[in-house]
Amino acid sequence: MTCKERILSNDYTDILGDVILTGDYRFDLPFDYCFHKITQDIGILYIERRSTESYPMGQRAYSLTPKCYGLMAYGEEAVLRAAQNRNLNTLALAESGILSVQGAPLSLTGKNVTIGFIDTGIRYQDPVFRDYAGKSRIVGIWDQTIQTGTPPEGFEYGSEYTNEMINEALASEDPLSVVPSTDANGHGSVMASLAAGSPIENNSFVGAAPDCQIAVVKLKEAKQYLKDYYKIPPGVPCYSEADIMLAIQYLQKYALLLTRPLVICLGVGTSLGDHTGGGMLGSYLNYISTQKSRVSVVAGGNEGNSAHHFFGQISEREAYQDVEIRVGENEKGFIMELWGDAPYFYNVVIRTPGGETARWNNPRSYVPQEFTFVYEKTRIVIEYQLVESLSGAEVIRFRFSDPTQGIWNIRINSEGSAMGGQFDIWLPVSEFLSSDTYFLESSPYTTITEPGYVHSAVTVAGYQISNNSIAAFSGRGNARDNYIVPDIAAPGVGVSTPFGDRSGTSVAAAITAGGCAQLMEWAVVNRNDILANSVNIKNYLIRGAERDGFAEYPNREWGADGIIVSSQ
């Protein structure tokens, strides 16, 4: 079996690791495997699943199993309009200060800068992605979902389409017969148009950086075994952490080849993880973002008003805390994670809506424990790690299958000589739940989705330009370790695009990515700050943005300085 077949096969499990196997030497390992190196310290191992039956995912170190990421679109505005009915405006860019720096004297339009999108693909035929001569501004597409073409050099799967191939397709009567990649979802095309779209329809629409180059990775969906493990509902887009990391590696190689600044735009997120910027993807994104001429822009997520975060605190006076979860009708299953810091240990008592109870006594063991009930069909598996390998935190993962509708009570108490401590619990992002499931006493804070806590990335909240109010859905900070996020806010409600009005922090991130391309043109291309990286660009944005005069700073809703993107 080829490496490509192993990577694509649901019979092979993907393991993110910090142990590097060289490609020149075939290690005498007791299983069939394939290995892809990402950095000197990180790689992905693809192993036959039946070889790991004695070492299932629930017993592996937390960071080794790829997490599932969803799209950070929000609401019902995500409806495509017919091209002839477009009624576009540039209000969002004007409010962001982006239009003012596109004109004289600065004339910053992203020239000689590349913006890379890791998303659902791109509708390359649309005029918004062509130059004045009708040629494509897309320098390359890596479509991970198509296996009939040639993969990018150094990668084993998917198909790469170059600028020459795309222009050949545009010149043909049937473009998709030449370059079959497209964007059926539309999310990636919306992101690319807002950040990098060309002027269209008598200048009724223009992207933030209309002269930049565009690079695209269309993510393949996660393998079914991962969807099953994370209880992802059928038909919901779900993308593996492993494929996202490979997409970043592809964009990094493209930027090195073009020798131009690179802005990476990520409109996907997850509520899983330690919420401090750790994990394999967070570590890799931080590594890339600290390099010169690199900027990473991340959507802050749409979980601000979802009631999917619970913050708890235990003291000697209050020896336990009850966590109540309302499980909606027809909920098929979900995952919930509790994170707490040393030196505390936590025990759990679970009470079903019917009144049955199950007690989980902290085993301080990696072996999962399963609980079933006499009168409930629900099955709960609890997986545990005393010291998560990258963060050092204690993590308890609850995997609910067929949970009974109603109010569940999870009693959390600490044990041992160190009584007390703070803990956080997160339910999945809204898209990954089958029904309206939430905490009855939730906290709207620390609801930024991963990888929004990466310190060197630009993490973006969304606000409504009609009244300068933060969007109710926009994720809020701070990180679990009190690191200040988000960094800034940008328009994210009812923003006009060539593909309809859209809302979500992914929209805000796309606008910000275009603004970062403008700053990269000024800093690196125009040689005003040739060593600029993501941290520098983030601080340029913070120093040049407006504050809401009624808010206190730093601010968990608006950002590090409670700010909105502006040209001030």
Side-chain angles (χ1 to χ4, degrees), residues 27 40 67 84 242 348 391 397 407-408 508 549 568:
F27 283 75
Q40 293 298 326
K67 294 185 281 291
Q84 63 269 25
V348 174
S391 67
R397 174 179 282 171
I407 307 301
W408 288 73
Q568 299 297 317

Side-chain angles (χ1 to χ4, degrees), residues 13 38 49 52 97 111 167 188 233 302 354 375 414 448 457 486 511 533 562:
T13 185
I38 295 180
R49 287 171 58 203
T52 64
K111 293 181 290 293
N167 282 322
N302 306 324
Y375 299 108
S414 61
I448 297 286
I511 293 172
N533 61 13

Side-chain angles (χ1 to χ4, degrees), residues 226-296:
L226 273 179
K227 292 183 178 182
D228 293 341
Y229 176 75
Y230 287 117
K231 311 291 185 182
I232 307 299
V236 175
C238 162
Y239 306 101
S240 168
E241 184 176 9
D243 293 318
I244 297 170
M245 292 175 67
L246 292 175
I248 295 172
Q249 184 185 29
Y250 170 80
L251 294 178
Q252 166 75 344
K253 288 188 174 183
Y254 224 113
L256 293 173
L257 178 66
L258 296 172
T259 63
R260 292 184 175 184
L262 171 67
V263 178
I264 297 173
C265 185
L266 269 175
V268 296
T270 182
S271 287
L272 300 178
D274 67 354
H275 289 67
T276 65
M280 290 295 185
L281 175 58
S283 298
Y284 184 45
L285 194 62
N286 193 64
Y287 166 76
I288 293 294
S289 301
T290 53
Q291 298 181 15
K292 66 180 181 179
S293 300
R294 302 289 181 269
V295 181
S296 297

Side-chain angles (χ1 to χ4, degrees), residues 160-491:
E160 182 179 34
Y161 303 101
T162 64
N163 178 259
E164 292 77 12
M165 297 169 72
I166 296 170
N167 282 322
E168 179 186 348
L170 293 175
S172 71
E173 294 183 357
D174 184 9
L176 291 178
S177 67
V178 181
V179 173
S181 181
T182 189
D183 178 14
N185 181 287
H187 188 270
S189 298
V190 166
M191 298 277 287
S193 67
L194 287 170
S198 300
I200 58 173
E201 295 191 8
N202 300 318
N203 293 323
S204 61
F205 176 86
V206 66
D211 289 327
C212 74
Q213 293 182 327
I214 301 169
V216 175
V217 179
K218 179 177 179 177
L219 293 169
K220 72 176 181 68
E221 291 214 20
K223 295 179 180 179
Q224 190 60 47
Y225 84 87
L226 273 179
K227 292 183 178 182
D228 293 341
Y229 176 75
Y230 287 117
K231 311 291 185 182
I232 307 299
V236 175
C238 162
Y239 306 101
S240 168
E241 184 176 9
D243 293 318
I244 297 170
M245 292 175 67
L246 292 175
I248 295 172
Q249 184 185 29
Y250 170 80
L251 294 178
Q252 166 75 344
K253 288 188 174 183
Y254 224 113
L256 293 173
L257 178 66
L258 296 172
T259 63
R260 292 184 175 184
L262 171 67
V263 178
I264 297 173
C265 185
L266 269 175
V268 296
T270 182
S271 287
L272 300 178
D274 67 354
H275 289 67
T276 65
M280 290 295 185
L281 175 58
S283 298
Y284 184 45
L285 194 62
N286 193 64
Y287 166 76
I288 293 294
S289 301
T290 53
Q291 298 181 15
K292 66 180 181 179
S293 300
R294 302 289 181 269
V295 181
S296 297
V297 181
V298 178
N302 306 324
E303 294 294 299
N305 63 346
S306 66
H308 290 164
H309 170 234
F310 183 92
F311 172 76
Q313 191 164 13
I314 297 174
S315 65
E316 292 185 2
R317 187 171 56 183
E318 297 183 16
Y320 64 84
Q321 184 145 19
D322 286 336
V323 181
E324 292 185 311
I325 308 169
R326 189 265 188 189
V327 174
E329 186 179 6
N330 298 321
E331 181 66 67
K332 302 303 182 185
F334 60 89
I335 279 184
M336 182 176 77
E337 290 184 349
L338 181 151
W339 290 79
D341 289 322
Y344 306 103
F345 301 91
Y346 296 101
N347 287 331
V348 174
V349 178
I350 302 170
R351 188 174 73 241
T352 74
E356 294 186 72
T357 61
R359 178 180 296 274
W360 179 79
N361 291 315
N362 193 322
R364 305 181 193 181
S365 165
Y366 274 52
V367 179
Q369 291 180 271
E370 181 174 331
F371 297 90
T372 58
F373 304 91
V374 176
Y375 299 108
E376 316 269 355
K377 64 178 181 179
T378 305
R379 182 172 65 92
I380 301 174
V381 176
I382 298 181
E383 300 166 354
Y384 176 73
Q385 288 190 22
L386 174 62
V387 180
E388 195 275 317
S389 59
L390 296 182
S391 67
E394 179 184 40
V395 57
I396 306 171
R397 174 179 282 171
F398 303 80
R399 300 181 65 244
F400 284 76
S401 298
D402 296 316
T404 303
Q405 180 183 359
I407 307 301
W408 288 73
N409 182 283
I410 314 293
R411 175 166 290 185
I412 311 294
N413 59 76
S414 61
E415 66 163 5
S417 58
M419 298 291 292
Q422 299 177 354
F423 62 89
D424 296 88
I425 307 177
W426 286 275
L427 289 165
V429 294
S430 300
E431 292 80 0
F432 291 170
L433 289 168
S434 303
S435 65
D436 194 14
T437 297
Y438 53 86
F439 293 112
L440 293 186
E441 295 184 19
S442 63
S443 169
Y445 300 113
T446 320
T447 51
I448 297 286
T449 50
E450 293 281 10
Y453 299 95
V454 172
H455 290 195
S456 59
V458 181
T459 300
V460 189
Y463 78 96
Q464 186 163 317
I465 59 178
S466 61
N467 57 10
N468 272 7
S469 65
I470 199 73
F473 58 75
S474 184
R476 292 158 169 75
N478 291 328
R480 193 171 58 84
D481 60 0
N482 289 320
Y483 179 77
I484 298 172
V485 285
D487 297 303
I488 56 172

